[in-house]
Amino acid sequence: MEGIFPHEVFQIFGIPIRDTVLHTWIMMGVFILLAYLFNRYSRLRPRAWQMPFEAVVEFAVKLVEDMIGSHVERHLPLIGTLVIFIASANLLGIFPFLSSPTRDINTTFALAVAVLFTVHYYGVRQHGGKGYLKHLMQPNAVVFVLDLIGQMSRTLSLTLRLFGNVIASEMIVAVIFVLVPAGAAIPLQLLGMFTGLLQAYVFAVLTCTYIKSAVANSSSNGDTDKTQFTSLEKE
């Protein structure tokens, strides 16, 4: 059970480096290498090895189109990065000697904070500084105060949802491996992989709803969007 939780691997100038941080760096290095190879060897007519990459891009584009509906090229880098990073981080634990970076609450909190600030960036970009502040205060200042509380609560919700699901999945598989033969844990491992992909999708969907609420052009749209993502958070 001790291997489930993050632990220090080494130090750099006295700063402890956890295994989740090290494995995040490894994952980022693989991403950089794949991006270089894809940029160098990809063709306009997709080859067989390009198909999985094309499918991920198409999935992210469709998600942004369905959830936000406009300025796909503006929001695609964020949503696509979240889908790829979180899905890969959740699945990294299936490889020997590697662990999921998202089983560290610091990683999930950093992702949630990044979403928080990026959503406000898109809101300011859409409405301007004063316009966005007015947008947040619709229909009155009391709602603005409640909305600030909601901003903090949804950041906490994103953090704990992703962390809780990943750590719970790894703990269940670890317990099963101890209690029963290794082969019996394979179905649970597959279920954990599915859960990891599902959590990446949920995180991206919630991010899209937050962005849509921030860039809404009217108070009625904003109220509708807030209701939508509130219901999503409860699921």
Side-chain angles (χ1 to χ4, degrees), residues 45-60:
R45 177 177 294 180
R47 301 176 178 179
W49 63 268
Q50 288 181 234
M51 295 301 183
F53 299 96
E54 298 282 351
V56 172
V57 173
E58 290 178 4
F59 171 80

Side-chain angles (χ1 to χ4, degrees), residues 198-221:
L198 180 62
Q199 288 305 311
Y201 173 75
V202 170
F203 197 100
V205 167
L206 288 173
T207 302
C208 286
T209 58
Y210 299 154
I211 293 174
K212 185 176 181 180
S213 177
V215 302
N217 291 322
S218 66
S219 59
S220 58
N221 289 340

Side-chain angles (χ1 to χ4, degrees), residues 78-190:
L78 172 66
I79 303 303
T81 299
L82 287 175
V83 170
I84 294 173
F85 180 87
I86 295 176
S88 300
N90 290 350
L91 298 179
L92 194 65
I94 68 176
F95 297 100
F97 310 111
L98 296 177
S99 58
S100 302
T102 43
R103 70 186 174 92
D104 188 340
I105 197 171
N106 295 290
T107 300
T108 60
F109 179 68
L111 290 169
V113 170
V115 169
L116 172 67
F117 284 100
T118 307
V119 166
H120 291 308
Y121 163 77
Y122 284 131
V124 172
R125 182 174 180 178
Q126 176 72 19
H127 301 286
K130 292 183 179 179
Y132 183 56
L133 183 60
K134 182 179 179 181
H135 172 75
L136 291 176
M137 297 182 70
Q138 293 177 348
N140 53 57
V142 175
V143 174
F144 174 69
V145 175
L146 296 177
D147 189 60
L148 289 180
I149 298 174
Q151 299 281 342
M152 299 301 104
S153 65
R154 75 189 190 191
T155 301
L156 181 62
S157 174
L158 285 175
T159 300
L160 296 180
R161 177 187 288 105
L162 182 56
F163 168 74
N165 280 279
V166 173
I167 197 68
S169 177
E170 293 202 358
M171 289 182 67
I172 291 173
V173 173
V175 170
I176 296 299
F177 264 117
V178 172
L179 298 178
V180 300
I186 293 178
L188 286 177
Q189 189 73 16
L190 295 176

